[in-house]
Amino acid sequence: MADISPRVAVRRTYKLYVGGAFPRSESGRSYPVTSSAGDHLANAALASRKDVRDAVVAARKAFPGWSGRTAYNRGQILYRIAEMMEGRRDQFADEVAAADGLGRGRAQAVVSAAVDRWVYYAGWADKIGQVLGGANAVSGPYFNLSEPEPTGVVGVLAPAGSSLLGLVSVLAPVITSGNTAVLVASERAPLPAVTLAEALATSDLPAGVANVLTGRLPELAPPLAGHADVNALDLAGAGELAAELEALAATTLKRVLRPIGDDWADPDPGLSRVRPFLEVKTVWHPLGR
């Protein structure tokens, strides 16, 4: 039998996830991704301002259909995503271990927590209306009802220090309530975000509901914050850019969530990350005689 030469490692160049597809960056650029120990892992697409605009267009196009689904159906789809994540446990664990410098056991625990967090928000999908809405006690010949509604397209900056659990903890609550999202992944550790995008693409999530960009935060965050068709902004991973991004968001009157510390890490977050991206519609209806 002939000797088999050692294989040359197949190094991947990961792409963006926009509108349900995996395009290369409009600029054609990529950048090397290394482990916490400095070892080369892969290359990731280096998104541009044009990619930000394309992702916002995709999110806006998907918003009417996603927000128009029943809350129960959204919960079913989100649970399906958790199933797809569970099927990629080993891949996620390898990427989390490399990105965050964790041992195998600890990385597996982080993956379990991320899957559980996704299931947690899937369970909330059809309960948000009952908790945050309902009949209001008013004095008059009419009913007064309040109902939460999604605000629209939300720009999400993933936490830099938690490549998977932080990512899931900021993305899932945004889309649970019917919003669509443009997510900027951790620049340092984008591979779990791209693997999550692959799980999204093979689930029942409609194209454009969640869009994932990789690249330089200072290059991608400002055009996202200032985009007139983005309705809200989550600054979880903004770091030192937070004040600048808040000022840009103010030019188009966006809702802005500027967390204090790692609020996403709360093991029982409730609706603290859902509520900021909801509007409340109040309906007055006369009583029948």
Side-chain angles (χ1 to χ4, degrees):
M1 181 177 178
D3 292 337
I4 299 176
S5 300
R7 291 189 65 232
V8 176
V10 178
R11 299 296 187 185
R12 295 185 62 177
T13 298
Y14 289 89
K15 301 176 184 178
L16 309 174
Y17 183 58
V18 178
F22 290 92
R24 292 179 172 83
S25 171
E26 168 271 339
S27 67
R29 302 174 301 166
S30 62
Y31 72 103
V33 178
T34 59
S35 70
S36 60
D39 299 321
H40 180 75
L41 299 175
N43 295 313
L46 193 59
S48 67
R49 296 170 64 94
K50 174 64 163 55
D51 296 316
V52 171
R53 294 195 294 270
D54 289 345
V56 173
V57 169
R60 177 57 62 191
K61 182 178 180 181
F63 177 69
W66 182 240
S67 61
R69 288 176 180 260
T70 65
Y72 178 73
N73 182 238
R74 287 199 298 268
Q76 289 179 307
I77 293 172
L78 290 168
Y79 189 83
R80 175 60 177 164
I81 294 170
E83 292 178 337
M84 303 306 293
M85 292 176 65
E86 186 73 23
R88 290 175 174 260
R89 288 188 60 87
D90 289 341
Q91 182 179 359
F92 276 123
D94 289 342
E95 291 172 347
V96 169
D100 299 340
L102 303 177
R104 182 69 180 182
R106 177 57 183 157
Q108 289 279 11
V110 169
V111 174
S112 295
V115 175
D116 292 348
R117 182 62 55 92
W118 203 283
V119 172
Y120 175 85
Y121 281 111
W124 263 115
D126 61 352
K127 301 170 183 65
I128 296 170
Q130 287 84 354
V131 174
L132 300 183
N136 302 313
V138 294
S139 177
Y142 38 74
F143 292 114
N144 182 262
L145 308 172
S146 293
E147 179 183 3
E149 293 188 337
T151 192
V153 176
V154 182
V156 182
L157 309 182
S162 179
S163 60
L164 182 62
L165 180 57
L167 167 75
V168 165
S169 298
V170 297
L171 177 61
V174 168
I175 64 176
T176 292
S177 57
N179 295 293
T180 55
V182 176
L183 173 85
V184 178
S186 166
E187 178 182 337
R188 178 190 62 83
L191 300 191
V194 182
T195 299
L196 177 61
E198 293 175 352
L200 299 178
T202 52
S203 70
D204 301 324
L205 190 72
V209 171
N211 304 274
V212 179
L213 303 177
T214 57
R216 311 295 187 206
L217 184 66
E219 184 177 358
L220 303 179
L224 185 61
H227 199 298
D229 209 21
V230 173
N231 303 103
L233 195 63
D234 184 343
L235 299 178
E240 296 179 352
L241 293 175
E244 174 189 345
L245 298 177
E246 279 186 320
L248 284 169
T251 63
T252 51
L253 302 181
K254 288 180 177 58
R255 286 174 171 257
V256 177
L257 175 61
R258 185 174 179 179
I260 299 175
D262 295 334
D263 73 318
W264 53 263
D266 187 341
D268 185 19
L271 294 176
S272 63
R273 288 198 136 268
V274 174
R275 192 190 304 264
F277 306 116
L278 291 171
E279 308 282 350
V280 176
K281 178 179 70 176
T282 300
V283 177
W284 301 74
H285 193 285
L287 293 174
R289 294 293 185 182

